[in-house]
């Protein structure tokens, strides 16, 4: 009698469906996955971190997704804009990691809703830097306390 062969179990995978507005490109690490407006990918069960970037609209979001075996996770988001205003003496240029310069202090900066870590450069000088954390609410103007620089 021949030994009984047991078929190998099929690898268990899950599926992620993305639907994100505004239009952005989805990355996993350095790998470009495609446009996140309507994207579907298969992954093994586990946790994953994605980046969604649109530099022209100054949009950058990090997305965490947990995939379960044989299930579809739907990630649908439609982000809205809010505004940031703060005062810095002297003025400072405002930069977002992964995007670059997004504005200057003493003026209203339009950002997508969410939490951000922004870098301020005193009068645009890269040697003098401060980090601020802000939360932008959709359709509202957020403010940050006055930023003062030490005298040289």
């Amino acid at each position: 009698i021949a030994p009984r062969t047991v078929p190998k179990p099929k690898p268990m995978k899950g599926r992620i469906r993305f639907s994100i507005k505004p239009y952005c490109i989805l990355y996993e690490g350095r790998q470009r996955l495609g446009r996140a407006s309507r994207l579907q990918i298969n992954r093994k069960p586990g946790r994953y971190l994605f980046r969604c970037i649109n530099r022209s609209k100054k949009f950058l979001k990090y997305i965490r997704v947990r995939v379960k075996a044989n299930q579809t996770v739907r990630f649908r988001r439609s982000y809205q804009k809010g505004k940031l205003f703060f005062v810095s003496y002297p003025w400072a240029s405002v930069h977002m990691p992964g995007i670059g310069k997004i504005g200057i202090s003493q003026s209203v900066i339009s950002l997508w809703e969410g939490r951000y870590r922004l870098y301020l450069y005193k009068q645009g000088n890269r040697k003098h830097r401060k980090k601020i954390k802000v939360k932008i609410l959709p359709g509202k103007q957020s403010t940050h306390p006055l930023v003062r620089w030490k005298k040289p």
Side-chain angles (χ1 to χ4, degrees), residues 51-55 58-60 62 95-102 117 119:
R51 261 182 319 145
C52 200
I53 300 175
N54 182 331
R55 282 190 171 79
K58 298 176 183 168
F59 181 79
L60 170 66
Y62 287 91
H95 294 252
M96 182 190 304
I99 298 293
K101 184 177 177 180
I102 58 171
R117 182 184 71 234
Y119 291 99

Side-chain angles (χ1 to χ4, degrees), residues 110-140:
S110 183
L111 289 170
W112 297 93
E113 66 182 280
R115 295 175 187 268
Y116 295 94
R117 182 184 71 234
L118 302 174
Y119 291 99
L120 309 178
Y121 295 101
K122 179 181 175 182
Q123 296 177 326
N125 185 345
R126 293 250 180 203
K127 292 180 182 177
H128 302 284
R129 178 175 92 167
K130 284 192 178 193
K131 178 172 69 171
I132 62 170
K133 293 180 182 180
V134 295
K135 181 179 179 181
I136 305 298
L137 299 173
K140 300 197 175 183

